[in-house]
Amino acid sequence: MNRIMILGSAGSGKSTLAKQLGSLLDIEVVHMDRLFWKPGWLQSTNEELQAKQEKYINNPSWIIEGNYSSVWDVRLLKADTVIFLDLNRYLCTYRILKRWLKNIGGTREDLAPGCPERMTREFIQYVWNYPKNKRNKGITAVLSQANESQVIIMSNRKAVEQYLNKFRLQHNT
């Protein structure tokens, strides 16, 4: 595992898993939210995002977490492992609200500088509708295109923890 692509709803734990795997495997972690957003919550164009992603995509190893379907085709071609965190909408919604309350006014390391934590009704609806609007329409198609990649789907917190424990055991021996 050298090039790992992590997909899933907001609040599914993509950033957390990426950081933990990056630490265990000593691989650089790239957060797509950090590449996409500019200070003041301004969006990058697809061309800008593609160019920012290109800075990492040809490296021998990376963990790139985040969806951004307009540019994931390149990641998919380069990834040797695709992880999809398919956690339920109740947990993801709870996590984004908890994260917001914990970080109000601050900027998380997985976001661009100048993008303090925020919450909108549209974002909550996005997370709530993710299974119907994104997973069923986009993610399943991507996973079916990942012929050369190892595809790992985790549907609950226990599966994620067991997956991480496997690496912890390998790297502590």
Side-chain angles (χ1 to χ4, degrees):
M1 290 178 43
N2 294 308
R3 294 177 171 169
I4 304 165
M5 179 176 176
I6 302 177
L7 303 170
S9 174
S12 64
K14 297 182 304 293
S15 295
T16 301
L17 176 61
K19 287 183 239 177
Q20 291 172 324
L21 275 178
S23 176
L24 288 167
L25 301 173
D26 195 27
I27 296 177
E28 180 180 16
V29 174
V30 179
H31 303 282
M32 290 301 295
D33 279 341
R34 193 168 174 82
L35 300 183
F36 179 73
W37 293 106
K38 300 176 195 177
W41 290 103
L42 298 174
Q43 299 179 6
S44 293
T45 65
N46 282 341
E47 294 77 21
E48 290 171 326
L49 185 57
Q50 186 75 40
K52 291 174 186 178
Q53 180 180 256
E54 285 294 324
K55 292 178 183 174
Y56 302 97
I57 210 77
N58 290 315
N59 291 348
S61 63
W62 44 256
I63 298 172
I64 300 179
E65 66 85 13
N67 297 320
Y68 296 95
S69 59
S70 65
V71 296
W72 70 20
D73 55 337
V74 176
R75 268 180 284 152
L76 187 61
L77 288 172
K78 300 282 187 173
D80 58 39
T81 304
V82 178
I83 299 172
F84 175 43
L85 298 179
D86 191 18
L87 280 65
N88 75 62
R89 69 170 107 196
Y90 293 97
L91 178 60
C92 292
T93 303
Y94 167 76
R95 284 179 171 178
I96 64 159
L97 292 170
K98 180 180 172 185
R99 178 175 71 196
W100 170 65
L101 289 171
K102 177 183 174 193
N103 296 298
I104 289 176
T107 301
R108 301 187 325 262
E109 70 176 281
D110 55 321
L111 289 174
C115 293
E117 190 69 50
R118 68 179 185 171
M119 185 61 56
T120 64
R121 178 194 293 200
E122 292 79 20
F123 186 59
I124 295 168
Q125 289 173 329
Y126 171 85
V127 173
W128 186 256
N129 293 318
Y130 184 89
K132 179 179 73 174
N133 295 339
K134 298 294 180 184
R135 178 186 67 204
N136 295 344
K137 294 179 183 171
I139 299 288
T140 51
V142 166
L143 297 179
S144 69
Q145 296 170 18
N147 337 2
E148 302 296 318
S149 302
Q150 173 187 12
V151 175
I152 302 163
I153 301 172
M154 293 182 253
S155 300
N156 56 54
R157 292 181 282 194
K158 184 177 180 182
V160 173
E161 197 54 42
Q162 288 173 338
Y163 185 76
L164 285 168
N165 283 337
K166 178 180 82 170
F167 289 101
R168 287 182 186 115
L169 288 171
Q170 289 174 352
H171 292 277
N172 286 335
T173 57

